[in-house]
Amino acid sequence: MLSILELLHAEQAQGRTQVSLAVICKRLDIRMSTLQRLMTALSEQALVEVLMQKDRLVASLTSSGEEVSLALQAA
């Protein structure tokens, strides 16, 4: 889960606020089913938001997710 938050934070820092789940799977080398379970857990904690955009699922950090990501990087 931490890798997902780090990846989304890095993308957001580069101006990409939304990242497709397929891209996340490729970059982290995990299966889509695994990513979806992790995204559900992160969404339930209000750390990420998953939306359907142009026939694909995309994820973005929430403000709480950004705070957690920054705290993890500082640690």
Side-chain angles (χ1 to χ4, degrees), residues 35-53:
L35 179 62
Q36 288 176 328
R37 282 194 306 276
L38 294 172
M39 284 298 192
T40 297
L42 290 168
S43 294
E44 288 173 353
Q45 297 302 314
L47 299 176
V48 300
E49 186 174 45
V50 178
L51 306 165
M52 182 67 87
Q53 183 183 61

Side-chain angles (χ1 to χ4, degrees), residues 5-71:
L5 292 176
E6 289 172 356
L7 185 143
L8 290 173
H9 176 76
E11 291 293 318
Q12 189 172 19
Q14 294 180 5
R16 293 183 287 272
T17 58
Q18 296 180 332
V19 182
S20 76
L21 296 192
V23 168
I24 296 171
C25 286
K26 288 178 186 175
R27 291 202 185 150
L28 299 180
D29 194 29
I30 58 176
R31 293 178 166 221
M32 182 63 79
S33 59
T34 302
L35 179 62
Q36 288 176 328
R37 282 194 306 276
L38 294 172
M39 284 298 192
T40 297
L42 290 168
S43 294
E44 288 173 353
Q45 297 302 314
L47 299 176
V48 300
E49 186 174 45
V50 178
L51 306 165
M52 182 67 87
Q53 183 183 61
K54 297 181 184 177
D55 296 328
R56 65 185 183 137
L57 290 170
V58 295
S60 60
L61 281 178
T62 63
S63 57
S64 296
E66 181 69 18
E67 289 176 21
V68 169
S69 181
L70 289 172

